[in-house]
Amino acid sequence: GFHDLKREIEPSIEGVPEAGWALASVAHGQGLASEVVGRIVAWGDAVFGRARTVCIIDPENGASLKVAERNGYREILRTTYHDKPTILLERRAGGATA
């Protein structure tokens, strides 16, 4: 779903709806994440309109990066979160990025 965790991250994403997902390992590789995230972003498009949404993903999490990209998220920069490399991705309604 979407949340605003008020993360201490640069650049700040406070106030921007942040998408997040996690699946039990037994559900990995079945296409469920792409389907669920697709429904999440469709709901977000309806609720947030053309507003930007973001997600952060560990650069080593290739599966989540693919799910994000399939659902219109595009990398905008690499940063750190909790002293670990992190990719910040963004999406606009309809999958367009700024």
Side-chain angles (χ1 to χ4, degrees), residues 12 15 19 30-31 40 48-50 58 60 67 70 76-77 81 85-86:
S12 175
Q30 299 179 36
I40 290 168
F48 305 127
R50 299 287 308 163
D58 181 319
E60 294 184 17
V67 168
R70 282 187 199 117
I76 56 171
L77 63 86
Y81 182 64
T86 301

Side-chain angles (χ1 to χ4, degrees), residues 8-92:
E8 291 185 24
I9 190 171
E10 288 297 327
S12 175
I13 56 174
E14 188 169 342
V16 179
E18 179 186 347
W21 57 89
L23 274 76
S25 59
V26 68
H28 292 182
Q30 299 179 36
L32 296 174
S34 291
E35 183 175 335
V36 169
V37 174
R39 291 176 190 262
I40 290 168
V41 297
W43 179 87
D45 288 354
V47 172
F48 305 127
R50 299 287 308 163
R52 157 185 185 243
T53 63
V54 297
C55 64
I56 63 170
I57 300 176
D58 181 319
E60 294 184 17
N61 189 341
S64 279
L65 288 168
K66 286 179 186 175
V67 168
E69 289 171 3
R70 282 187 199 117
N71 285 285
Y73 284 93
R74 300 292 175 254
E75 179 177 336
I76 56 171
L77 63 86
R78 293 188 179 229
T79 187
T80 58
Y81 182 64
H82 289 294
D83 298 321
K84 295 181 182 175
T86 301
I87 299 175
L88 176 62
L89 302 97
E90 78 171 5
R91 180 185 187 280
R92 300 225 180 239

